[in-house]
Amino acid sequence: MKKNQFPEMTPTFDQRVRQTLQNLPEQQRQTRRNPFKLMITVGIAAALSIGGTAFAASGIPEQIGQHFKLFFQPSQEKLVDDYAVTPEPGTLLAENEKYSVEIDSVLFDSSAKTGIISLHMHNKKEDGVMPFSLSRILPEFQGAGLLYSNFAECYGSNDGEYAFEVLYDSTTPEFGEDGFSGSKFYLDEARSTENDYYIEGAFIPGRDYAPDGALRLELLEIGTFYIDNHGVQRLASALTVTLPQPKAMPSLSSADGNVTLSQIGLYVRMENCCVVDDLDIAIVKLKDGTEIVLLDEENGINNSLYAYGYSFDENTGDEEAEYGPVSDIGIYVLGKPFVLENVSAISLNGTEYPLS
């Protein structure tokens, strides 16, 4: 295998990896470009809370915490949000004989290619069977400064269950028509019941995503396959909803364009450095002297919801990175609220980048 070349991450391959990890003894998972550094997980069966509150739509909420109740809880500082797209109830809905899925809100930052989504699934058979499995971080790491540590991740594990994916039309169709986003989807246990599931996901489209390209949520059914036009076996989609066109979000950038920050996204470009693995400290600096810690590996703090990284050759643009200087990209979906207009700079591993 050539340097920096990895096999294509297909849904089938991803599922096999998940099943293998689930059957291993509990151990630390830390690999190059692991979305969550120092993340230790174990798949468990989780009983859902009965009597969760029902979701009531009442126009477009003014605060981000009302769009994304799991990721931005009321106890956190709230963000003024005019950029989330909240469809009218019943307009972005897909269903089959077993389940229905409806999009509640979508917030996508095109400058850093980071997005969050909230959705509602209903079990039409009313039999209490969840269409996914749950995975949690081990108890000793829960609440230890990792924003996502108390969330229950939803993923497809067994035949008939659904894997959550945000897909798009790839700009490199010769390698497959569909582009895949990196993502994590979590169950909001406080609001969910036996047959109604409120879920929030953080996602980052891949490098083959075209700016302003259409995004769609697909629930892929484990164990059900089809052969695409390139002869590749892929998981079949059980439910598909095209996401609404996002509203442009404001952002700040460094003078060289290598750092971009928005309310929900951080994009970092460095040379000859694996950003996701090597970025240990990220601190947002406000104009009044206040500091907001996004990442601090030494002290076990991670206020991102999801991270994704890749490298490419500066001369050829090829991800094999054989012929020229290597650029490494790190992208983070942020879950720590701050007001963008109050930001003056960001410090990355001790180097300060003024933002404007």
Side-chain angles (χ1 to χ4, degrees), residues 2-5 311-313 317-323 326:
K2 298 180 181 179
K3 181 181 178 182
N4 292 327
Q5 183 178 13
S311 298
F312 66 94
D313 188 296
D318 192 271
E319 292 192 18
E320 295 182 14
E322 285 188 336
Y323 308 106
V326 176

Side-chain angles (χ1 to χ4, degrees), residues 296-329:
D296 185 343
E297 183 175 14
E298 184 176 351
N299 292 300
I301 298 173
N302 189 334
N303 283 306
S304 69
L305 296 165
Y306 183 73
Y308 171 74
Y310 58 86
S311 298
F312 66 94
D313 188 296
E314 287 277 14
N315 290 340
T316 65
D318 192 271
E319 292 192 18
E320 295 182 14
E322 285 188 336
Y323 308 106
V326 176
S327 275
D328 196 90
I329 306 298

Side-chain angles (χ1 to χ4, degrees), residues 83 89 104 127 129-130 132 252 259 269:
Y83 307 102
D104 288 336
D127 57 8
V129 177
M130 287 193 305
F132 45 78
L252 300 174
V259 180
R269 174 175 175 170

Side-chain angles (χ1 to χ4, degrees), residues 64-85:
I64 194 171
Q66 294 177 303
H67 287 293
F68 307 98
K69 298 177 185 294
L70 179 64
F71 287 167
F72 299 94
Q73 300 177 19
S75 60
Q76 297 178 325
E77 179 185 353
K78 292 183 179 180
L79 288 175
V80 176
D81 170 31
D82 296 321
Y83 307 102
V85 179

